[in-house]
C-alpha cells in the first residue's frame, strides 16, 4: 500500500510541475498586454509589437524551462 501511495504521489508531482510551467507560459502574454493597456506614455508602436514581444518572451521562457527539465 505504501508503494502504491508513493507512486501516486510521484505522478501527482510530475503533473503539478507541468501545470505550473504551463501557467507561467500563459502568464507572460497577460503581463505584456496588461502593461500596454495601462494609461502610461509608451512609444508609438503598431499592434504587432506587443504580440511579437509576448510570443518571443513565452518562447524564451519555454526554452529555459525545457532546458531545466521543468516542462
Amino acid at each position: 500500500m505504501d508503494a502504491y501511495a508513493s507512486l501516486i504521489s510521484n505522478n501527482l508531482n510530475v503533473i503539478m510541475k507541468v501545470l505550473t510551467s504551463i501557467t507561467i507560459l500563459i502568464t507572460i502574454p497577460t503581463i505584456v498586454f496588461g502593461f500596454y493597456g495601462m494609461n502610461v506614455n509608451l512609444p508609438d508602436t503598431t499592434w504587432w509589437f506587443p504580440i511579437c514581444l509576448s510570443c518571443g518572451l513565452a518562447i524564451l521562457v519555454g526554452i529555459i524551462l525545457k532546458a531545466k527539465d521543468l516542462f
Side-chain angles (χ1 to χ4, degrees):
M1 191 66 179
D2 288 335
Y4 184 70
S6 178
L7 183 67
I8 290 176
S9 177
N10 288 338
N11 289 343
L12 180 64
N13 287 338
V14 170
I15 291 170
M16 291 303 293
K17 186 169 62 170
V18 170
L19 289 176
T20 302
S21 299
I22 291 171
T23 303
I24 291 171
L25 290 176
I26 291 174
T27 303
I28 292 171
T30 304
I31 292 170
V32 171
F33 289 118
F35 185 72
Y36 272 89
M38 292 180 188
N39 191 13
V40 294
N41 291 330
L42 293 172
D44 289 330
T45 58
T46 57
W47 57 270
W48 56 267
F49 182 73
I51 293 173
C52 291
L53 180 67
S54 64
C55 288
L57 286 174
I59 290 170
L60 179 70
V61 170
I63 290 170
I64 292 170
L65 289 174
K66 189 70 170 174
K68 293 185 180 241
D69 199 28
L70 295 174
F71 188 57

